[in-house]
Amino acid sequence: MIVKANPAGILGTGHCVPDQVWTNKDLEKMMDTSDEWIRSRTGIGARHVAPKGVNTSDLATKAGEEALKNAGIKAEDLNLIIVCTLTPDRALPSTACKVQANLHAVNAAAFDLEAACSGFAYGSIIASQFIENKMYKYILVIGAEILTRVINWKDRSSCVLFGDGAGAAVIGPVPSGYGILGGAMGADGTGGDFLTIPASGVEMPPTDALRENGMAYAKMDGKEVYKFAVKAMPHAAELALKRSELTKEDIDVLVPHQANIRIIQSAAKRLHVPMEKVFVNIEKYANTSGASIPIALDEAVHAGMIHRGDIVCLDGFGAGLTWASLVMKWY
């Protein structure tokens, strides 16, 4: 196992999901689908839906407050806030700046990071570099999404897959031998059209007509995304483990992106990690993209699944196409 001179680790976690829950049974009343069809193909049973007036920054702020509380860190002690999201409140200002204002984190820089479902792992790896280099001491990394506003509710094959929520972690210095040991980030932009929102930027500004024909909402080639995911997730984890000077057998807890139970099972099998070591909460939340891994991590911590000294692997893939993994010795 690699030992770093100035290690960075997770000091506290938190999450927030909207109170409103739509079960598969609720969706049966809205479209031609069934609880059995959704569960058998995805493992999803419900998703949380943000009501009108609640935005990504609101969920991110609450998750951040919880992470700060659990870390025992004050907002004014933060040096940087990174919000990982594909559903920002606005293009300008960044959602991270809105969170900084909400938290009164007056000493923190702030920026958004867009790597979709890989975002939290990307953000945590980036944060660790600032801390290891002693530029910053405390960094708040948040994954937050309101996906139910960017999916096409007329597309029954994809709209059932997503939900809203936010998860957060405070990253700071930890004792030698603990913390983030290694990470891996990657991308394959040639697959960008496999999961995309065509009319969402300057290339094709959204209009009423584009919304009506579905171009302003998420489009996914499920078969191609699945093919990418089952290879990318184990590859990312293996590379992160190698950089940590560890092996697959060293993993105590695997916290994967919660996109599809079949993808999770496939990745666990390829990594030779038994499912009892894999944290799964997709049944409750569906795919919350950038919020997925930090929500799962916080729940795993509070469920007593993760203990000090455990080797924890975070592993994800996302639109872009992107992939990322990090390995840490839990502090």
Side-chain angles (χ1 to χ4, degrees):
M1 184 184 76
I2 193 169
V3 177
K4 296 186 176 183
N6 304 301
I10 291 178
L11 305 179
T13 59
H15 82 273
C16 171
V17 292
D19 292 334
Q20 183 174 223
V21 178
W22 289 2
T23 67
N24 293 344
K25 292 291 186 181
D26 292 323
L27 297 190
E28 288 180 350
K29 302 170 187 176
M30 299 167 56
M31 65 193 72
D32 182 17
T33 191
S34 71
D35 177 62
E36 190 280 329
W37 188 91
I38 298 170
R39 285 182 185 273
S40 64
R41 287 162 177 78
T42 68
I44 295 167
R47 69 283 301 144
H48 289 247
V49 179
K52 186 177 180 180
V54 172
N55 295 310
T56 300
S57 62
D58 299 313
L59 300 181
T61 298
K62 290 181 180 179
E65 288 173 341
E66 192 70 17
L68 286 166
K69 177 183 176 183
N70 288 326
I73 302 296
K74 296 179 181 179
E76 54 264 37
D77 293 329
L78 290 173
N79 305 115
L80 175 64
I81 297 171
I82 304 173
V83 174
C84 312
T85 184
L86 65 88
T87 54
D89 289 11
R90 309 175 190 173
L92 290 173
S94 72
T95 301
C97 280
K98 295 186 76 173
V99 171
Q100 188 245 26
N102 292 344
L103 293 175
H104 306 291
V106 294
N107 297 307
F111 67 83
D112 286 359
L113 186 158
E114 208 283 81
C117 311
S118 306
F120 182 78
Y122 263 63
S124 297
I125 292 168
I126 291 168
S128 72
Q129 304 305 300
F130 283 116
I131 294 163
E132 289 173 16
N133 292 329
K134 293 190 173 181
M135 181 173 179
Y136 292 141
K137 187 174 183 180
Y138 297 121
I139 299 176
L140 178 62
V141 182
I142 306 172
E145 306 286 9
I146 295 187
L147 296 171
T148 57
R149 293 184 198 159
V150 298
I151 57 178
N152 186 354
W153 287 99
K154 296 177 182 179
D155 179 5
R156 69 188 184 98
S157 66
S158 65
C159 71
V160 301
L161 305 176
F162 300 99
D164 304 334
V170 175
I171 299 180
V174 295
S176 179
Y178 291 93
I180 296 170
L181 306 175
M185 301 184 291
D188 179 7
T190 64
D193 285 340
F194 294 150
L195 183 49
T196 183
I197 304 176
S200 59
V202 296
E203 178 186 26
M204 190 188 299
T207 63
D208 288 343
L210 290 171
R211 291 186 184 92
E212 184 62 30
N213 67 19
M215 293 295 284
Y217 301 104
K219 290 180 173 291
M220 181 173 70
D221 184 329
K223 188 175 292 184
E224 290 296 332
V225 171
Y226 182 91
K227 284 164 57 179
F228 172 79
V230 295
K231 294 179 181 178
M233 285 181 65
H235 170 71
E238 287 168 353
L239 188 52
L241 285 162
K242 183 178 181 180
R243 291 174 178 171
S244 306
E245 298 179 359
L246 295 169
T247 68
K248 293 178 282 190
E249 289 70 30
D250 292 312
I251 296 175
D252 293 307
V253 181
L254 175 64
V255 183
H257 168 45
Q258 309 285 314
N260 182 301
I261 189 61
R262 294 179 178 179
I263 293 173
I264 293 171
Q265 290 168 340
S266 175
K269 184 176 181 181
R270 293 190 183 206
L271 289 169
H272 304 293
V273 177
M275 285 302 294
E276 56 264 28
K277 291 186 176 183
V278 182
F279 187 82
V280 180
N281 64 359
I282 189 173
E283 195 277 338
K284 295 190 294 182
Y285 302 120
N287 182 349
T288 55
S289 189
S292 168
I293 289 177
I295 290 175
L297 179 62
D298 184 50
E299 287 206 328
V301 170
H302 286 93
M305 188 171 179
I306 297 175
H307 308 91
R308 180 172 292 193
D310 281 350
I311 299 299
V312 180
C313 177
L314 310 184
D315 194 20
F317 72 95
L321 297 164
T322 62
W323 49 261
S325 179
L326 67 88
V327 174
M328 69 188 95
K329 186 172 182 180
W330 194 257
Y331 174 60

